[in-house]
Amino acid sequence: MTPLFCLYRLLTRAFGRPLARHLLRKRSRRSPDYLLHQGERFGEPPADPLQNAIWIHAVSVGETRAAQPLVAELQRHFPDAPLLLTQMTPTGRAAAEQLFPQAQCRYLPYDHPAWTAAFLAQHRPRFGILMETEIWPNLIHACRQTDLPLFLANARLSEKSARGYRRWPGLFRPAMQGFCRVLAQSEADARRLAELGAATPLVCGNSKYDLAPPAAMHALAAQFRQRIGPRPVVVCASTREHQGQDEAELLLQQWRAYRGDALLVIVPRHPERFQNAFDTAQALGLRAQKRSDETAVAADTQVWIGDSMGELFAYYLAADMAFVGGSLVDTGCQNIIEPIACGKPALFGYSTYNFAAACAGAVAAGAALQVATPADWYAAVCRWLADPAERQRYAAQAAGFIQAHQGASRRMAEAIAAALPACAANRQAT
């Protein structure tokens, strides 16, 4: 153990519980569901802990969805293995329970030595997979101590995040060396992960390209269109709030100038922002309705608030064009791949560090358009509304762009299955 890791363990032992309880109380002010199942976060077991399962940790909704095609490929290699899904957010847990009804879903304990050790003792997984960017030093150390093979899959690391990790090499380098294999999304991600200490990361691509809208989402999209009618639909999905800037408000302010018959659909990223988006639209003088009112959208309604979870594919499928949020405020962009996979012309803003490769590739392929400001977004939307042929040109590029990037889930599953015997041999040798 490095001195910094020893200090980290000491601090998490001493202050882990009060800090965790403070964090939960703070987050529960916006989302009361953070107060549910608290014991799991402190190492307490669920009623019947699942054992000998494939364990996948997906922190929130995006990572949970990204795990879906990987799970399908893993089940080809391990058809009889049960499935354990862990999350850190209530929305992630809800998504996991919806997408993986066959799995046991629970919260992963916070990174405290005793709590992580208790979690592993309760479940004794056959191997573990952390999705995307989850580097928890105590958890990884506990996996090494118990000879549990652990993988970092669909791994991404932005330059912004890498700079933070590089400040603490004595903590994160040993952690990165604790993975049996790191499976990166891109060459740039692999390079940054290797600089942190990962041993020969393998570039597999992004599993989110392997996602396809399920039949239920197509059916729900048809219901949405029936409620909306024949009007053009502009979806703005996963809008975020950052440092006092509300992305939904920025878009709604622009929409006040629109005089056509198109419907603007705002789908905030977090449920605690649903009512705020509705109130903002009304305060700006826009006629608004909510998806949750379960009524037809009136002909004079200008804004429809998508106040529901787990239905993003349906909103995209019902759209004529889509904007991906988290990009006109500096939160790095949400999943640009989903609307393109639905065959929709897509827009996104200036902040793209979470999906840098996908955003750059989509623009280069002519499957999406980047805008710098809310005013630019509005101008692009008006142009596309007036020129269906231009919309179709972007949509036509979408299928080829998605197809060219598929197969990451299969490659990751094959790499995991191939690495497990070597992982076991290495553990025995040490």
Side-chain angles (χ1 to χ4, degrees):
M1 291 188 193
T2 65
L4 186 57
F5 181 49
C6 291
L7 177 62
Y8 176 79
R9 286 177 70 82
L10 180 65
L11 291 174
T12 50
R13 285 184 187 277
F15 301 108
R17 188 174 292 271
L19 284 174
R21 291 200 181 281
H22 170 74
L23 179 64
L24 289 171
R25 284 194 299 270
K26 183 178 179 181
R27 289 184 171 175
S28 70
R29 292 180 198 135
R30 288 191 168 189
S31 177
D33 285 350
Y34 273 98
L35 297 178
L36 302 176
H37 311 288
Q38 283 195 48
E40 294 176 2
R41 299 183 183 275
F42 301 108
E44 296 177 15
D48 186 19
L50 186 66
Q51 295 200 342
N52 197 36
I54 296 172
W55 160 45
I56 297 180
H57 177 62
V59 62
S60 195
V61 176
E63 294 86 354
T64 302
R65 287 179 179 154
Q68 197 173 14
L70 175 58
V71 167
E73 292 294 338
L74 286 169
Q75 288 175 332
R76 300 176 188 273
H77 295 272
F78 310 96
D80 300 322
L83 184 63
L84 172 67
L85 263 291
T86 59
Q87 301 79 35
M88 297 301 288
T89 70
T91 52
R93 184 184 184 124
E97 290 170 348
Q98 179 188 47
L99 295 173
F100 302 100
Q102 78 280 24
Q104 184 171 89
C105 302
R106 60 161 291 174
Y107 288 125
L108 182 70
Y110 286 122
D111 200 41
H112 181 287
W115 306 339
T116 55
F119 167 79
L120 295 177
Q122 292 155 15
H123 293 282
R124 302 185 184 279
R126 60 178 67 188
F127 59 89
I129 300 171
L130 308 186
M131 294 295 293
E132 299 207 3
T133 313
E134 290 292 292
I135 307 172
W136 297 108
N138 283 325
L139 176 66
I140 297 169
H141 179 76
C143 290
R144 294 187 72 170
Q145 292 294 103
T146 56
D147 291 332
L148 175 69
L150 188 65
F151 300 86
L152 187 64
N154 217 41
R156 63 178 176 87
L157 187 66
S158 69
E159 182 56 38
K160 180 178 179 180
S161 296
R163 286 196 297 270
Y165 286 121
R166 289 189 199 113
R167 295 191 186 103
W168 311 100
L171 182 60
F172 291 109
R173 182 166 291 274
M176 291 302 303
Q177 293 170 347
F179 290 109
C180 289
R181 200 75 204 262
V182 172
L183 309 172
Q185 291 186 15
S186 70
E187 293 287 354
D189 292 313
R191 174 180 52 78
R192 287 189 283 264
L193 289 160
E195 289 171 355
L196 281 186
T200 58
L202 178 66
V203 178
C204 293
N206 189 338
S207 68
K208 291 176 181 176
Y209 288 104
D210 297 328
L211 285 167
M217 290 296 102
H218 283 275
L220 183 58
Q223 293 177 28
F224 286 171
R225 288 301 320 200
Q226 186 174 20
R227 287 174 65 177
I228 294 167
R231 306 163 59 183
V233 175
V234 180
V235 166
C236 296
S238 300
T239 58
R240 300 286 300 271
E241 186 273 339
H242 181 66
Q243 294 183 348
Q245 275 198 313
D246 185 342
E247 194 170 31
E249 183 176 359
L250 297 176
L251 300 170
L252 288 165
Q253 286 173 341
Q254 295 294 319
W255 198 245
R256 287 185 300 175
Y258 182 68
R259 295 295 179 265
D261 67 340
L263 178 70
L264 180 67
V265 181
I266 299 284
V267 188
R269 175 70 177 82
H270 298 111
E272 59 267 25
R273 305 299 298 177
F274 291 163
Q275 186 62 41
N276 181 267
F278 180 76
D279 293 343
T280 299
Q282 291 195 316
L284 291 170
L286 294 163
R287 291 179 293 278
Q289 287 183 240
K290 299 178 184 178
R291 179 258 185 271
S292 60
D293 67 18
E294 298 296 346
T295 61
V297 179
D300 64 348
T301 292
Q302 298 164 286
V303 179
W304 199 44
I305 303 301
D307 57 341
S308 62
M309 297 297 295
E311 297 180 348
L312 197 54
F313 271 131
Y315 289 110
Y316 283 139
L317 289 166
D320 291 281
M321 67 191 75
F323 167 78
V324 179
S327 61
L328 283 175
V329 293
D330 194 17
T331 56
C333 197
Q334 296 304 125
N335 188 354
I336 186 65
I337 300 167
E338 288 178 335
I340 299 172
C342 293
K344 306 299 177 177
L347 296 157
F348 60 90
Y350 67 90
S351 181
T352 64
Y353 54 81
N354 285 328
F355 281 87
C359 287
V363 169
L369 179 66
Q370 186 171 22
V371 295
T373 68
D376 292 339
W377 163 81
Y378 180 69
V381 167
C382 289
R383 187 170 68 249
W384 280 358
L385 287 171
D387 189 354
E390 184 178 352
R391 291 205 310 265
Q392 286 304 314
R393 283 196 296 273
Y394 277 89
Q397 303 295 333
F401 174 69
I402 294 296
Q403 187 175 9
H405 290 83
Q406 288 179 330
S409 301
R410 174 182 52 78
R411 290 188 286 271
M412 286 188 284
E414 290 174 350
I416 289 167
L420 282 171
C423 289
N426 291 339
R427 303 285 178 165
Q428 291 173 359
T430 57

